[in-house]
Amino acid sequence: QVQLVESGGDSVQTGGSLRLSCAVSENIFSIDVMGWYRRLPGKERELVGTITPTGVTNYARSVKGRFTISRDNAKNMMSLQLDSLKPEDTGVYYCNALLTADSTSRPEIYWGRGTQVTVSS
């Protein structure tokens, strides 16, 4: 069973930092693009950024220069470093991955359940 599990969410003050992790269950055939999304209070889920298997990243304008995505392909993990946090970054952060579960499966997008980030002023 494919699972993506986020961790690292917490409450911090403005200007603080957090590091979120996304762990993909083991024995996955292959993982393509991975991404971080967030749902801010009262808003639709939005893209934070993505990372390809070779480490090429893309970020939303609102987080560029403050957030950094990385991944460890050997461990099936992805991280999101959040720096210079602002109250408007408060929300639930989700990871997703386009992956192929086994050699007989087609690529599908899987989502984690999210982790809460709260930034206080």
Side-chain angles (χ1 to χ4, degrees), residues 46-66:
E46 64 181 27
L47 174 70
V48 173
T50 60
I51 186 167
T52 69
T54 57
V56 177
T57 54
N58 180 57
Y59 298 96
R61 187 179 304 175
S62 58
V63 306
K64 198 168 187 178
R66 299 189 299 123

Side-chain angles (χ1 to χ4, degrees), residues 69-87:
I69 298 174
S70 60
R71 65 190 280 176
D72 185 332
N73 293 329
K75 296 181 179 179
N76 287 355
M77 292 192 68
M78 174 178 62
S79 296
L80 177 65
Q81 178 69 35
L82 300 82
D83 296 317
S84 303
L85 281 162
K86 307 174 182 179

Side-chain angles (χ1 to χ4, degrees), residues 12-20 38 48 59 62-69 80-89 93 117 119:
V12 297
Q13 292 189 329
T14 298
S17 297
L18 284 174
R19 188 173 183 85
L20 308 183
R38 65 184 184 183
V48 173
Y59 298 96
S62 58
V63 306
K64 198 168 187 178
R66 299 189 299 123
F67 293 4
T68 304
I69 298 174
L80 177 65
Q81 178 69 35
L82 300 82
D83 296 317
S84 303
L85 281 162
K86 307 174 182 179
E88 51 263 43
D89 294 316
Y93 285 69
V117 171
V119 185

